[in-house]
Amino acid sequence: AKTLAECSPLAPHCALASGAMTALFWVMSADPPRHVRDTLNALPVFGTQLHTSGGHHRDFVACFVGLLRDLLRYVARWHPCGLAWSLAARDRLQQQTDPSLSEFDKVMRDRLLSLLDIM
């Protein structure tokens, strides 16, 4: 029987991506920063083979590491104890008029408000 790596040259890339995607489960974690940090610390396990290949493969690994570091900074700053859903939070979001909010943050705020209205 062939291993996955023998079946496709992209198998290590898929393994790295799927390993990194587990960081998205931070929304269900009691300690989101630790969850993302654990995922980030596991990336070398998936990326060793790619990292030694050099070139674009090394860039692929670096991209995922960068994404997870940014996610870790975001989660540690805004959701250190997990997500909290409340009517008070909805009211604060509706009143938020911070001019420094990026377009992405405004879109996410509006989507979150629509979700809270459904709940």
Side-chain angles (χ1 to χ4, degrees):
K2 289 184 176 182
T3 65
L4 182 59
E6 293 171 331
C7 293
S8 171
L10 295 177
H13 299 78
C14 293
L16 176 77
S18 66
M21 287 175 59
T22 62
L24 299 177
F25 293 119
W26 72 266
V27 297
M28 298 184 297
S29 174
D31 187 354
R34 188 185 75 196
H35 179 80
V36 176
R37 192 176 302 109
D38 289 347
T39 303
L40 181 59
N41 290 337
L43 276 190
V45 171
F46 299 108
T48 301
Q49 184 178 358
L50 292 172
H51 207 353
T52 58
S53 300
H56 294 299
H57 303 286
R58 186 174 298 194
D59 295 342
F60 184 79
V61 173
C63 179
F64 273 96
V65 169
L67 284 170
L68 289 185
R69 283 185 180 149
D70 288 345
L71 179 62
L72 177 57
R73 279 192 288 275
Y74 171 80
V75 168
R77 179 173 180 193
W78 297 104
H79 304 286
C81 299
L83 292 175
W85 302 97
S86 71
L87 293 177
R90 183 192 66 195
D91 294 340
R92 280 194 307 273
L93 279 171
Q94 286 175 332
Q95 295 170 358
Q96 194 171 31
T97 58
D98 186 353
S100 67
L101 282 178
S102 70
E103 193 61 35
F104 173 79
D105 290 332
K106 290 175 187 174
V107 169
M108 292 305 292
R109 180 194 61 203
D110 293 343
R111 288 185 181 168
L112 179 58
L113 285 171
S114 65
L115 281 174
L116 290 172
D117 286 339
I118 293 170
M119 298 172 91

